[in-house]
Amino acid sequence: MAAALTECGVPLSGLSKHYLNTNSTSHTGPFSAIAELIDNTYDPDVNAEQIWIDKTQIKDMECLTFKDNGNGLSRKIMHQILSFGFSIEKGIQPIGIYGNGFTSGSMRLGKDVIILSKSKNDLCVGMLSQTYLKKIRAKHIAVPIISFNKQEADKYILLELFK
């Protein structure tokens, strides 16, 4: 499948779905993964002043939720965060220079992550899910992202997912 994705006739590299689990082992335990996710909220471009962490039950699954009051993510930045090796860090001494922290931290804590974000212009939903990749029998990582321009959001019908 990766060979079908080409740029100027050259096959692009693919990432095996097994990479998500392997990459998560860069964190020795759940506390370093949580610290990574918290650290992301304090980056200068995020500008969060508060973060809330909660544990909740959705159906029969225990879920951790992380919420902050930062600037939110545009579609472009969400795509970079859910990709591998892309760093959006700016500033004098960026911590996230490898573009790996969010993906490794979230996959250390669970098999699935859903990001809901509201920035100045965009409403975005992104998903990095080992469960989804297994269900669709993916050979490579696929990262679904849905985004809406805030000014055009009233044109869409949003459905309640959890009843």
Side-chain angles (χ1 to χ4, degrees), residues 2 23 29 38-39 43-44 63 84 89 96 100 108 111 154 159:
N23 187 43
I38 291 170
D39 180 65
D43 287 341
C63 302
F84 301 88
E89 297 286 337
N100 194 43
R108 177 65 171 110
K111 294 201 175 294
D154 61 349
L159 303 174

Side-chain angles (χ1 to χ4, degrees), residues 102-156:
F102 180 81
T103 53
S104 64
S106 60
M107 291 295 103
R108 177 65 171 110
L109 296 172
K111 294 201 175 294
D112 308 299
V113 63
I114 298 174
I115 302 173
L116 307 170
S117 184
K118 178 172 67 171
S119 67
K120 182 179 178 183
N121 297 315
D122 297 318
L123 302 169
C124 296
V125 179
M127 181 176 74
L128 188 59
S129 172
Q130 294 180 59
T131 305
Y132 170 72
L133 295 173
K134 183 177 180 180
K135 185 168 185 144
I136 66 168
R137 297 185 177 139
K139 297 199 185 317
H140 300 278
I141 296 173
V143 182
I145 298 174
I146 299 169
S147 68
F148 302 95
N149 180 287
K150 277 174 97 173
Q151 286 75 25
E152 298 178 3
D154 61 349
K155 295 180 184 177
Y156 303 96

Side-chain angles (χ1 to χ4, degrees), residues 14-80:
L15 261 170
S16 166
K17 65 180 180 179
H18 303 293
Y19 179 77
L20 292 176
N21 186 50
T22 303
N23 187 43
S24 74
T25 62
S26 63
H27 291 281
T28 56
F31 293 110
S32 67
I34 290 170
E36 179 69 52
L37 298 176
I38 291 170
D39 180 65
N40 288 343
T41 66
Y42 289 103
D43 287 341
D45 54 337
V46 176
N47 204 27
E49 295 175 355
Q50 294 178 308
I51 181 170
W52 299 267
I53 302 172
D54 196 13
K55 185 179 101 171
T56 188
Q57 195 88 7
I58 300 176
K59 297 192 178 184
D60 292 334
M61 301 290 292
E62 286 188 4
C63 302
L64 286 175
T65 60
F66 294 78
K67 180 180 177 181
D68 66 60
N69 64 346
N71 296 328
L73 306 171
S74 67
R75 178 182 174 77
K76 178 182 177 185
I77 291 176
M78 182 168 300
H79 181 260
Q80 289 175 334

